[in-house]
Amino acid sequence: MNTSTWIGRNMSKLLPEPKPGSKPAVSSVEGSSHAIEKGVSASAGATPGVRSTRERLSATLRRQEEALSPRVLRRTLEELKAIVDARVSEVEGGRRAQGVALWYASATEAQRRDMWLLMSEQFVADAQNVRQAQAQFAAAVGTPDEAAAEVQYRRATVSPRRRLLQRFSVFDGGIRFLVDLRAEMLPYLKTDRRLQALDVEMEYMFSTWFDVGFLDLRRISWDSPASLIEKLIKYEAVHDIRSWADVKNRLDADRRCYGFFHPRLPDEPLIFVEVAFTTAIADSITPLLDEAAAPADPARSSTAIFYSISNTQPGLKGVSFGDSLIKRVVETLRTEFPRLKVFATLSPMPGFRNWLSRHADRLLQLTPMKARDELARSLGAQALTAQAVLAALESVPALEPKSPLRHWLLQCGAQYLGREMADGKPLDAVARFHLGNGARVERLNWAADPSAKGIRQSCGLMVNYLYDLGRLDRHRTQLAQGKIPVSSATAALFF
């Protein structure tokens, strides 16, 4: 019997017996989110009277709401500490970590949360060593000993938690285990602040392990393994793939799809982008997804449209590689098709309608009086109110080009994308991604996404972000100064 099997078997013996009729834990993010919706407590840290792991470790009896008894909690902590024992090798530490991972796979959701808390609260840097190293560094500033003191200070602030995560990454499947663990933990962060230390540590480690220098750019085509194409269907987050004919259309010879892959997750795209070739910037998603449309000739096309970009791993939240993906794809496309000159997106505005519902009163106040009168007449309203405007949104696909409501919604869309910011960043999540990469808001497109999802999220509006390769740095600088880069056509729509 190997070490990992022994640890997993012995820790399993310490688990409390499941109650009759109880179900095993769900290991996916969907499962954990479902549990929250069903009322499973995710707020141990925020609930008055709940004991900390330190208190539970020194206790004798378990309280009713606690998953692991003090005895099992102490044994679990011992197993975690054994993983980072300085006397064992990386390989042996990895074997021990695998044993804990085996126990984790059969643990209930509440038991898993107890392990997260142990990892977060019990593997911290020694406070006394940190204070001492900090004082020595402060005293050494400006002296020949400054560099050495800084090194000591940096070492003192590194928590044993980091070494614990490193040991989990050693065994085959260890990185997959950690990514899934964080994905499962993320829904609980807002309600249990005690988990934040573990989350931040994991984000830091993942940013190192998933640095773009370690990622491979691979084209995904119809000739790719069926298992990979199935994951493409599963992870598509922008425009749902309806059938095998749909996915074949997106992967055909006149299209391109690229993804970033990590050597330790060779069959899992971390992020992928779908590209269509056109002769002009696309203003509607319908022809791009039309399976019966005549294929384009990429060699004769002037424009590459990025119409879908999907992150696939919730556990890698905060790890940014989208910027590098687009750069690499642009370089690859320019090499293969020298006639391509324009690189743009056709992007959703997922938060627009909710934002509009919350700020309709303010937006009407920004609207000039003449335009408000025209809008009121078009709605047949005695008095123009936010309620009257919002009630009319259900019929937006049928609005005529000269409709005052249509023009007003385009103005609101421009305001949302080009003026609204939070904490110095664009309010819209998709806008944050593309504008942060150096693109600019190029054009708003009416009825560009007539699907039920498109109407529900953005009244059917979509936006083109233009990647002007000669101005990416300028646009980033502009954004850093608090001004969103937009085209003159978009600026003309501002109130």
Side-chain angles (χ1 to χ4, degrees), residues 88-410:
V88 303
S89 66
E90 291 287 335
V91 174
E92 174 60 22
R95 288 199 185 109
R96 295 181 180 189
Q98 187 174 20
V100 172
L102 289 173
W103 168 83
Y104 184 91
S106 61
T108 67
E109 200 167 343
Q111 291 161 359
R112 292 179 179 189
R113 292 203 304 274
D114 275 350
M115 192 179 99
W116 305 340
L117 288 170
L118 288 175
M119 295 172 70
S120 191
E121 293 188 309
Q122 299 299 316
F123 290 84
V124 300
D126 186 283
Q128 183 175 350
N129 289 344
V130 171
R131 286 194 295 269
Q132 183 178 351
Q134 184 179 29
Q136 291 174 346
F137 174 57
V141 171
T143 73
D145 297 326
E146 179 178 350
E150 180 185 358
V151 170
Q152 292 301 319
Y153 178 52
R154 288 180 180 273
R155 289 176 176 171
T157 57
V158 174
S159 70
R161 191 185 307 110
R162 187 173 304 178
R163 185 171 180 82
L164 180 64
L165 296 175
Q166 289 170 334
R167 290 284 171 90
F168 271 103
S169 72
V170 170
F171 69 88
D172 188 29
I175 288 184
R176 171 82 275 169
F177 167 79
L178 289 174
V179 171
D180 289 345
L181 184 153
R182 184 171 184 245
E184 188 180 4
M185 184 178 69
L186 285 174
Y188 296 92
L189 291 176
K190 290 183 178 180
T191 52
D192 195 341
R193 293 178 297 175
R194 297 176 297 173
L195 296 173
Q196 290 180 0
L198 175 59
D199 177 65
V200 170
E201 196 85 72
M202 295 186 85
E203 182 179 336
Y204 170 80
M205 297 301 291
F206 289 164
S207 296
T208 302
W209 294 340
F210 290 90
D211 184 271
V212 293
F214 300 131
L215 305 182
D216 296 324
L217 181 71
R218 285 163 45 188
R219 180 184 170 188
I220 305 171
S221 71
W222 186 244
D223 295 325
S224 297
S227 59
L228 179 54
I229 296 177
E230 288 174 350
K231 287 173 181 174
L232 197 72
I233 297 172
K234 173 184 176 182
Y235 292 132
E236 167 60 54
V238 184
H239 303 291
D240 294 337
I241 296 177
R242 303 178 298 272
S243 64
W244 281 101
D246 186 4
V247 73
K248 187 177 188 301
N249 177 56
R250 302 190 194 199
L251 299 179
D252 223 339
D254 65 330
R255 299 291 183 92
R256 291 294 183 270
C257 179
Y258 297 95
F260 264 151
F261 293 79
H262 190 276
R264 295 291 295 275
L265 300 173
D267 300 320
E268 289 277 349
L270 306 178
I271 183 174
F272 61 86
V273 58
E274 299 168 55
V275 187
F277 300 103
T278 62
T279 56
I281 296 179
D283 60 3
S284 174
I285 194 62
T286 302
L288 299 185
L289 300 181
D290 185 1
E291 299 164 26
D297 183 357
R300 295 180 176 274
S301 300
S302 62
T303 305
I305 299 293
F306 305 104
Y307 64 92
S308 179
I309 301 176
S310 299
N311 287 290
T312 69
Q313 305 299 318
L316 294 180
K317 180 181 179 181
V319 181
S320 177
F321 26 62
D323 179 13
S324 298
L325 174 69
I326 291 178
K327 285 181 178 178
R328 293 272 296 277
V329 170
V330 167
E331 292 170 0
T332 301
L333 292 175
R334 292 178 76 186
T335 300
E336 186 176 1
F337 306 112
R339 293 187 63 173
L340 289 177
K341 302 299 180 185
V342 179
F343 298 90
T345 78
L346 182 60
S347 299
M349 300 162 52
F352 172 64
R353 188 160 176 174
N354 283 337
W355 171 84
L356 179 64
S357 298
R358 295 195 307 272
H359 298 278
D361 275 322
R362 175 171 65 88
L363 294 166
L364 287 174
Q365 292 297 321
L366 293 174
T367 305
M369 185 58 68
K370 181 179 179 181
R372 293 184 63 185
D373 292 340
E374 293 175 351
L375 187 55
R377 285 195 296 270
S378 71
L379 297 176
Q382 291 284 343
L384 186 62
T385 64
Q387 290 77 8
V389 171
L390 296 176
L393 296 184
E394 301 306 319
S395 60
V396 289
L399 294 177
E400 297 293 331
K402 294 185 179 180
S403 163
L405 179 57
R406 174 170 169 168
H407 181 69
W408 185 77
L409 286 173
L410 287 169

